[in-house]
Amino acid sequence: TGARNKSTSTGYGALDEICGGIRPGELTVLTGPTGVGKSTTVISLAFNLAKAGIRSMVGSFELPVDSHVLPKIVSFALKRNIHDPHLPVKDYRRCLDALIRWGQMGFINRVGSLSIPELEYSLISAYKQGFRFFVLDHLNYFISPSVDAQVVETDATMILLQKMVKEVMPEAHIVLVVHPKKLGSCPKTGISHRISIQDLKGSSRISQDADNV
């Protein structure tokens, strides 16, 4: 859904060919096994959109922004591995200071769980400040660890996010990171099973309410 003539490039040509770019009024779900780079991918998308003039907000609820998000963005900006021992500290600090002054990116710096009302307030507040691209990393931090409550709270989160992009924040695009279920591997080859849309962890509502998965 969404008007493709309003799309903005993700900054990755191959991805644009698949999804048609980033469009306002849509909710995208990103998933993948642990360690494949889900967080790195969505942070890079936020940085690319910010460079294209779309103010981007990153919510990192698993790891601190200072140690997890900002170093990745500096790495993208410098096009260098920040762990490179030959990277001068002054270059890193100069880039970090420029990033903070830039104003095109904002951060929800909250490690740990965030209630659904708190999430709604954070999104609306940022939208009023001109942010139009949102990264939420990841779903498990909006829902209870209780197995009995997970489906209900997942459904409530998806309903909220759909309401945000379709009614309250129609010029926004939200990317939600979701973990897949634990998948086994082929006993003969040892190769992990390929993730499908049915393997999203939580509720069937995730794939039903998302515009893109």
Side-chain angles (χ1 to χ4, degrees), residues 1-151:
T1 62
R4 288 187 177 252
N5 60 341
K6 292 184 178 180
S7 67
T8 301
S9 172
T10 62
Y12 300 104
L15 183 57
D16 288 340
E17 290 183 9
I18 295 172
C19 67
I22 297 295
R23 294 174 295 278
E26 291 191 4
L27 170 62
T28 294
V29 166
L30 177 73
T31 191
T34 300
V36 298
K38 295 186 295 296
S39 295
T40 299
T41 298
V42 292
I43 293 170
S44 71
L45 289 178
F47 180 60
N48 290 346
L49 269 289
K51 289 193 297 180
I54 297 176
R55 297 190 76 195
S56 301
M57 176 70 67
V58 177
S60 176
F61 307 105
E62 184 175 14
L63 296 168
V65 167
D66 289 347
S67 63
H68 179 60
V69 179
L70 292 178
K72 290 181 184 295
I73 298 173
V74 170
S75 179
F76 301 145
L78 294 177
K79 297 181 180 180
R80 292 185 64 176
N81 187 336
I82 59 168
H83 300 296
D84 182 350
H86 301 294
L87 175 64
V89 174
K90 64 179 182 179
D91 288 355
Y92 176 85
R93 290 178 176 171
R94 188 183 298 119
C95 185
L96 183 60
D97 290 342
L99 172 64
I100 294 172
R101 293 194 306 269
W102 186 29
Q104 280 293 100
M105 297 194 72
F107 308 94
I108 303 174
N109 196 6
R110 167 89 175 254
V111 176
S113 62
L114 191 72
S115 70
I116 292 176
E118 289 174 322
L119 173 62
E120 180 178 15
Y121 176 81
S122 297
L123 291 174
I124 293 175
S125 296
Y127 188 75
K128 289 179 178 178
Q129 295 173 41
F131 290 94
R132 294 296 182 265
F133 183 73
F134 296 82
V135 167
L136 302 176
D137 188 11
H138 54 78
L139 173 65
N140 293 66
Y141 286 93
F142 315 138
I143 62 176
S144 168
S146 167
V147 175
D148 294 335
Q150 282 183 2
V151 173

